[in-house]
Amino acid sequence: MNRLDGKVALISGAARGIGAETARHMMQAGAKVVIGDVLDEQGRQTVQALARDGGDAAYAHLDVTSTDDWNAAVAQATSRFGGLDILVNNAGVFIGRGIEEASLADWQKLCSVNLTGVFLGTKLAMPALRERGQKSPHGSAIVNLASIAGLVGSQLDPLYSMTKGGVTTFTKSAALEFARKGYRIRVNSIHPGVIETDMGAQTFVARAERMSTNDVDAARQLSQASHPIGRLGTPADIANGIVFLASDDAGFMTGAGLVVDGGMTAQ
Ligand SMILES: NC(=O)c1ccc[n+]([C@@H]2O[C@H](COP(=O)([O-])OP(=O)(O)OC[C@H]3O[C@@H](n4cnc5c(N)ncnc54)[C@H](O)[C@@H]3O)[C@@H](O)[C@H]2O)c1
């Protein structure tokens, strides 16, 4: 189940957090992985850690807002590993400001990483994914990191929510376009609840500010209590879902959203 033997994956924003854990899970499932990020030192350390565990991985400097960086990262995957089967559009940023507090620069930053990054990745990895998709029984796969904030409103970051709503519907549109054209590239999104990463910690700080207490521990407790399953999510919880969506076990899924949120949006 959920095997990725012989497949090659490119994961954006994978120096740390959900992306790094996804790289680890993909390699354990048999894939070769290119990690892209703007945090070059941390990205290289992540690759070294994966190599120590016996994996085949490479690091690419990838600012997802840059066309040149995307072209170079895709070329690195195809030249080093022979092709590209999986793209994970994982890089993302969170601002944690309300509509009254957020500036135009905040909005432009969110848009450039969370939206432009997903558009460019999809567009520029598509030819390589299409080529490998022709030879694979269930095609190639793109997995986009949306959020529960792309399904319901956000108490903490309405602008982040607007970008993740865009990722949610872009996923469906891209799935339809590639299917219509016969490209054999499945496109799905994943919608995490609050996950214990650097970004998860940023949400606790934003929540504490919203409560006017600056008590980050209390904010964390409140966040945990909002997940009916009784805990916050881990990067492994999300990596498991991403590996499934990228694998041939999800071969009949495209344009879908996988919610992994401990029941938060079931309420
Ligand atoms: N942590 C959560 O609670 C949560 C919840 C829902 C969705 N998500 C989404 O999951 C994804 C991963 O989040 P995470 O929790 O691991 O966050 P994180 O902050 O730990 O990691 C995000 C990574 O993206 C990278 N990045 C930022 N800007 C970039 C750019 N321009 N180009 C390339 N890389 C860039 C960062 O350097 C970092 O390595 C994001 O898209 C996020 O929106 C996270």
mmCIF file of all heavy atoms in Angstrom, residues 79-109:
data_model
loop_
_atom_site.group_PDB
_atom_site.id
_atom_site.type_symbol
_atom_site.label_atom_id
_atom_site.label_comp_id
_atom_site.label_asym_id
_atom_site.label_seq_id
_atom_site.Cartn_x
_atom_site.Cartn_y
_atom_site.Cartn_z
ATOM 1 N N SER A 79 17.485 15.512 -14.628
ATOM 2 C CA SER A 79 18.849 15.117 -15.008
ATOM 3 C C SER A 79 19.438 14.142 -13.991
ATOM 4 O O SER A 79 20.095 13.172 -14.357
ATOM 5 C CB SER A 79 19.754 16.340 -15.175
ATOM 6 O OG SER A 79 19.880 16.988 -13.940
ATOM 7 N N ARG A 80 19.165 14.368 -12.706
ATOM 8 C CA ARG A 80 19.770 13.488 -11.700
ATOM 9 C C ARG A 80 19.028 12.166 -11.544
ATOM 10 O O ARG A 80 19.639 11.114 -11.369
ATOM 11 C CB ARG A 80 19.816 14.227 -10.360
ATOM 12 C CG ARG A 80 20.283 13.333 -9.253
ATOM 13 C CD ARG A 80 21.056 14.022 -8.184
ATOM 14 N NE ARG A 80 21.405 13.048 -7.160
ATOM 15 C CZ ARG A 80 21.910 13.345 -6.004
ATOM 16 N NH1 ARG A 80 22.171 14.588 -5.717
ATOM 17 N NH2 ARG A 80 22.185 12.416 -5.120
ATOM 18 N N PHE A 81 17.683 12.225 -11.618
ATOM 19 C CA PHE A 81 16.899 11.016 -11.314
ATOM 20 C C PHE A 81 16.120 10.487 -12.515
ATOM 21 O O PHE A 81 15.387 9.512 -12.391
ATOM 22 C CB PHE A 81 15.943 11.287 -10.147
ATOM 23 C CG PHE A 81 16.645 11.613 -8.845
ATOM 24 C CD1 PHE A 81 16.284 12.730 -8.097
ATOM 25 C CD2 PHE A 81 17.659 10.796 -8.360
ATOM 26 C CE1 PHE A 81 16.917 13.024 -6.893
ATOM 27 C CE2 PHE A 81 18.305 11.081 -7.147
ATOM 28 C CZ PHE A 81 17.938 12.204 -6.425
ATOM 29 N N GLY A 82 16.228 11.155 -13.682
ATOM 30 C CA GLY A 82 15.653 10.589 -14.904
ATOM 31 C C GLY A 82 14.224 10.974 -15.227
ATOM 32 O O GLY A 82 13.677 10.503 -16.225
ATOM 33 N N GLY A 83 13.594 11.819 -14.418
ATOM 34 C CA GLY A 83 12.214 12.222 -14.719
ATOM 35 C C GLY A 83 11.560 12.796 -13.478
ATOM 36 O O GLY A 83 12.216 12.950 -12.435
ATOM 37 N N LEU A 84 10.271 13.116 -13.597
ATOM 38 C CA LEU A 84 9.535 13.651 -12.446
ATOM 39 C C LEU A 84 8.118 13.073 -12.462
ATOM 40 O O LEU A 84 7.397 13.195 -13.454
ATOM 41 C CB LEU A 84 9.475 15.188 -12.524
ATOM 42 C CG LEU A 84 8.838 15.877 -11.308
ATOM 43 C CD1 LEU A 84 9.685 15.678 -10.047
ATOM 44 C CD2 LEU A 84 8.682 17.386 -11.573
ATOM 45 N N ASP A 85 7.747 12.419 -11.348
ATOM 46 C CA ASP A 85 6.424 11.782 -11.220
ATOM 47 C C ASP A 85 5.495 12.523 -10.268
ATOM 48 O O ASP A 85 4.276 12.384 -10.373
ATOM 49 C CB ASP A 85 6.576 10.348 -10.671
ATOM 50 C CG ASP A 85 7.490 9.489 -11.523
ATOM 51 O OD1 ASP A 85 7.005 8.930 -12.514
ATOM 52 O OD2 ASP A 85 8.688 9.407 -11.187
ATOM 53 N N ILE A 86 6.087 13.243 -9.302
ATOM 54 C CA ILE A 86 5.280 13.820 -8.215
ATOM 55 C C ILE A 86 5.754 15.241 -7.931
ATOM 56 O O ILE A 86 6.957 15.484 -7.782
ATOM 57 C CB ILE A 86 5.453 12.989 -6.918
ATOM 58 C CG1 ILE A 86 4.947 11.547 -7.113
ATOM 59 C CG2 ILE A 86 4.733 13.658 -5.743
ATOM 60 C CD1 ILE A 86 5.491 10.576 -6.069
ATOM 61 N N LEU A 87 4.817 16.172 -7.866
ATOM 62 C CA LEU A 87 5.115 17.528 -7.394
ATOM 63 C C LEU A 87 4.268 17.781 -6.155
ATOM 64 O O LEU A 87 3.040 17.589 -6.196
ATOM 65 C CB LEU A 87 4.758 18.565 -8.477
ATOM 66 C CG LEU A 87 4.781 20.024 -8.005
ATOM 67 C CD1 LEU A 87 6.204 20.481 -7.675
ATOM 68 C CD2 LEU A 87 4.164 20.943 -9.054
ATOM 69 N N VAL A 88 4.912 18.216 -5.070
ATOM 70 C CA VAL A 88 4.168 18.639 -3.886
ATOM 71 C C VAL A 88 4.365 20.144 -3.726
ATOM 72 O O VAL A 88 5.473 20.611 -3.426
ATOM 73 C CB VAL A 88 4.629 17.896 -2.607
ATOM 74 C CG1 VAL A 88 3.735 18.290 -1.429
ATOM 75 C CG2 VAL A 88 4.599 16.389 -2.804
ATOM 76 N N ASN A 89 3.303 20.898 -3.971
ATOM 77 C CA ASN A 89 3.332 22.353 -3.773
ATOM 78 C C ASN A 89 3.063 22.619 -2.302
ATOM 79 O O ASN A 89 1.919 22.813 -1.875
ATOM 80 C CB ASN A 89 2.272 23.025 -4.655
ATOM 81 C CG ASN A 89 2.712 23.171 -6.087
ATOM 82 O OD1 ASN A 89 3.823 23.624 -6.373
ATOM 83 N ND2 ASN A 89 1.848 22.791 -7.017
ATOM 84 N N ASN A 90 4.150 22.598 -1.527
ATOM 85 C CA ASN A 90 4.038 22.647 -0.065
ATOM 86 C C ASN A 90 4.429 24.004 0.524
ATOM 87 O O ASN A 90 3.917 24.386 1.572
ATOM 88 C CB ASN A 90 4.927 21.545 0.532
ATOM 89 C CG ASN A 90 5.108 21.697 2.023
ATOM 90 O OD1 ASN A 90 4.217 21.389 2.801
ATOM 91 N ND2 ASN A 90 6.267 22.196 2.444
ATOM 92 N N ALA A 91 5.339 24.746 -0.129
ATOM 93 C CA ALA A 91 5.818 26.017 0.441
ATOM 94 C C ALA A 91 4.621 26.932 0.717
ATOM 95 O O ALA A 91 3.709 27.043 -0.099
ATOM 96 C CB ALA A 91 6.777 26.703 -0.521
ATOM 97 N N GLY A 92 4.644 27.564 1.878
ATOM 98 C CA GLY A 92 3.551 28.467 2.217
ATOM 99 C C GLY A 92 3.960 29.388 3.342
ATOM 100 O O GLY A 92 4.893 29.085 4.104
ATOM 101 N N VAL A 93 3.276 30.523 3.444
ATOM 102 C CA VAL A 93 3.512 31.459 4.547
ATOM 103 C C VAL A 93 2.177 31.860 5.175
ATOM 104 O O VAL A 93 1.127 31.777 4.543
ATOM 105 C CB VAL A 93 4.290 32.717 4.092
ATOM 106 C CG1 VAL A 93 5.735 32.378 3.742
ATOM 107 C CG2 VAL A 93 3.610 33.413 2.921
ATOM 108 N N PHE A 94 2.277 32.272 6.441
ATOM 109 C CA PHE A 94 1.123 32.650 7.271
ATOM 110 C C PHE A 94 1.474 34.004 7.881
ATOM 111 O O PHE A 94 2.613 34.210 8.294
ATOM 112 C CB PHE A 94 0.935 31.568 8.345
ATOM 113 C CG PHE A 94 -0.079 31.846 9.405
ATOM 114 C CD1 PHE A 94 -1.413 31.493 9.219
ATOM 115 C CD2 PHE A 94 0.289 32.442 10.612
ATOM 116 C CE1 PHE A 94 -2.357 31.732 10.212
ATOM 117 C CE2 PHE A 94 -0.649 32.679 11.611
ATOM 118 C CZ PHE A 94 -1.979 32.319 11.410
ATOM 119 N N ILE A 95 0.502 34.907 7.953
ATOM 120 C CA ILE A 95 0.794 36.245 8.472
ATOM 121 C C ILE A 95 0.164 36.450 9.857
ATOM 122 O O ILE A 95 0.762 37.067 10.725
ATOM 123 C CB ILE A 95 0.268 37.339 7.496
ATOM 124 C CG1 ILE A 95 0.938 37.202 6.123
ATOM 125 C CG2 ILE A 95 0.471 38.734 8.081
ATOM 126 C CD1 ILE A 95 2.335 37.736 6.001
ATOM 127 N N GLY A 96 -1.042 35.929 10.057
ATOM 128 C CA GLY A 96 -1.678 36.018 11.373
ATOM 129 C C GLY A 96 -2.210 37.399 11.716
ATOM 130 O O GLY A 96 -2.258 37.762 12.899
ATOM 131 N N ARG A 97 -2.595 38.164 10.704
ATOM 132 C CA ARG A 97 -3.144 39.503 10.970
ATOM 133 C C ARG A 97 -4.558 39.611 10.423
ATOM 134 O O ARG A 97 -4.858 39.048 9.368
ATOM 135 C CB ARG A 97 -2.282 40.584 10.316
ATOM 136 C CG ARG A 97 -0.873 40.562 10.841
ATOM 137 C CD ARG A 97 -0.089 41.821 10.551
ATOM 138 N NE ARG A 97 1.237 41.634 11.120
ATOM 139 C CZ ARG A 97 2.359 41.510 10.400
ATOM 140 N NH1 ARG A 97 2.318 41.639 9.096
ATOM 141 N NH2 ARG A 97 3.505 41.296 10.992
ATOM 142 N N GLY A 98 -5.391 40.356 11.133
ATOM 143 C CA GLY A 98 -6.753 40.604 10.677
ATOM 144 C C GLY A 98 -6.782 41.588 9.512
ATOM 145 O O GLY A 98 -5.752 42.169 9.140
ATOM 146 N N ILE A 99 -7.967 41.798 8.959
ATOM 147 C CA ILE A 99 -8.110 42.677 7.794
ATOM 148 C C ILE A 99 -7.676 44.109 8.144
ATOM 149 O O ILE A 99 -7.021 44.789 7.351
ATOM 150 C CB ILE A 99 -9.572 42.666 7.300
ATOM 151 C CG1 ILE A 99 -9.945 41.249 6.820
ATOM 152 C CG2 ILE A 99 -9.800 43.689 6.176
ATOM 153 C CD1 ILE A 99 -11.438 41.007 6.675
ATOM 154 N N GLU A 100 -7.991 44.555 9.358
ATOM 155 C CA GLU A 100 -7.641 45.929 9.741
ATOM 156 C C GLU A 100 -6.147 46.108 9.955
ATOM 157 O O GLU A 100 -5.600 47.183 9.719
ATOM 158 C CB GLU A 100 -8.388 46.320 11.022
ATOM 159 C CG GLU A 100 -9.873 46.538 10.795
ATOM 160 C CD GLU A 100 -10.568 46.986 12.063
ATOM 161 O OE1 GLU A 100 -10.805 46.115 12.927
ATOM 162 O OE2 GLU A 100 -10.854 48.175 12.191
ATOM 163 N N GLU A 101 -5.476 45.037 10.404
ATOM 164 C CA GLU A 101 -4.048 45.153 10.722
ATOM 165 C C GLU A 101 -3.149 44.867 9.520
ATOM 166 O O GLU A 101 -2.024 45.364 9.447
ATOM 167 C CB GLU A 101 -3.661 44.168 11.836
ATOM 168 C CG GLU A 101 -4.314 44.424 13.182
ATOM 169 C CD GLU A 101 -5.732 43.897 13.266
ATOM 170 O OE1 GLU A 101 -6.031 42.875 12.631
ATOM 171 O OE2 GLU A 101 -6.562 44.548 13.940
ATOM 172 N N ALA A 102 -3.619 44.045 8.607
ATOM 173 C CA ALA A 102 -2.750 43.601 7.503
ATOM 174 C C ALA A 102 -2.489 44.735 6.521
ATOM 175 O O ALA A 102 -3.363 45.574 6.268
ATOM 176 C CB ALA A 102 -3.407 42.424 6.779
ATOM 177 N N SER A 103 -1.284 44.739 5.970
ATOM 178 C CA SER A 103 -0.906 45.763 4.983
ATOM 179 C C SER A 103 -0.974 45.172 3.577
ATOM 180 O O SER A 103 -1.066 43.952 3.404
ATOM 181 C CB SER A 103 0.525 46.238 5.263
ATOM 182 O OG SER A 103 1.420 45.159 5.032
ATOM 183 N N LEU A 104 -0.867 46.045 2.599
ATOM 184 C CA LEU A 104 -0.823 45.575 1.206
ATOM 185 C C LEU A 104 0.403 44.682 0.991
ATOM 186 O O LEU A 104 0.328 43.681 0.281
ATOM 187 C CB LEU A 104 -0.793 46.784 0.263
ATOM 188 C CG LEU A 104 -0.764 46.467 -1.235
ATOM 189 C CD1 LEU A 104 -1.967 45.633 -1.654
ATOM 190 C CD2 LEU A 104 -0.702 47.766 -2.037
ATOM 191 N N ALA A 105 1.520 45.035 1.661
ATOM 192 C CA ALA A 105 2.737 44.215 1.521
ATOM 193 C C ALA A 105 2.516 42.807 2.091
ATOM 194 O O ALA A 105 2.992 41.817 1.528
ATOM 195 C CB ALA A 105 3.908 44.891 2.229
ATOM 196 N N ASP A 106 1.765 42.712 3.213
ATOM 197 C CA ASP A 106 1.432 41.391 3.774
ATOM 198 C C ASP A 106 0.667 40.563 2.738
ATOM 199 O O ASP A 106 0.956 39.389 2.510
ATOM 200 C CB ASP A 106 0.538 41.522 5.016
ATOM 201 C CG ASP A 106 1.253 42.101 6.216
ATOM 202 O OD1 ASP A 106 2.485 41.958 6.296
ATOM 203 O OD2 ASP A 106 0.576 42.694 7.081
ATOM 204 N N TRP A 107 -0.324 41.186 2.142
ATOM 205 C CA TRP A 107 -1.165 40.495 1.156
ATOM 206 C C TRP A 107 -0.326 40.043 -0.046
ATOM 207 O O TRP A 107 -0.444 38.911 -0.513
ATOM 208 C CB TRP A 107 -2.298 41.428 0.730
ATOM 209 C CG TRP A 107 -3.074 40.981 -0.469
ATOM 210 C CD1 TRP A 107 -3.234 41.656 -1.634
ATOM 211 C CD2 TRP A 107 -3.805 39.747 -0.625
ATOM 212 N NE1 TRP A 107 -3.994 40.927 -2.509
ATOM 213 C CE2 TRP A 107 -4.364 39.757 -1.914
ATOM 214 C CE3 TRP A 107 -4.021 38.636 0.192
ATOM 215 C CZ2 TRP A 107 -5.131 38.701 -2.412
ATOM 216 C CZ3 TRP A 107 -4.786 37.582 -0.299
ATOM 217 C CH2 TRP A 107 -5.329 37.625 -1.578
ATOM 218 N N GLN A 108 0.548 40.933 -0.502
ATOM 219 C CA GLN A 108 1.354 40.584 -1.676
ATOM 220 C C GLN A 108 2.315 39.435 -1.372
ATOM 221 O O GLN A 108 2.564 38.580 -2.219
ATOM 222 C CB GLN A 108 2.078 41.826 -2.207
ATOM 223 C CG GLN A 108 1.086 42.724 -2.948
ATOM 224 C CD GLN A 108 1.589 44.125 -3.221
ATOM 225 O OE1 GLN A 108 2.514 44.600 -2.561
ATOM 226 N NE2 GLN A 108 0.963 44.807 -4.173
ATOM 227 N N LYS A 109 2.834 39.412 -0.141
ATOM 228 C CA LYS A 109 3.720 38.308 0.268
ATOM 229 C C LYS A 109 2.943 36.978 0.269
ATOM 230 O O LYS A 109 3.406 35.955 -0.260
ATOM 231 C CB LYS A 109 4.283 38.610 1.666
ATOM 232 C CG LYS A 109 5.029 37.474 2.321
ATOM 233 C CD LYS A 109 6.430 37.338 1.809
ATOM 234 C CE LYS A 109 7.187 36.216 2.502
ATOM 235 N NZ LYS A 109 8.427 35.880 1.833
#
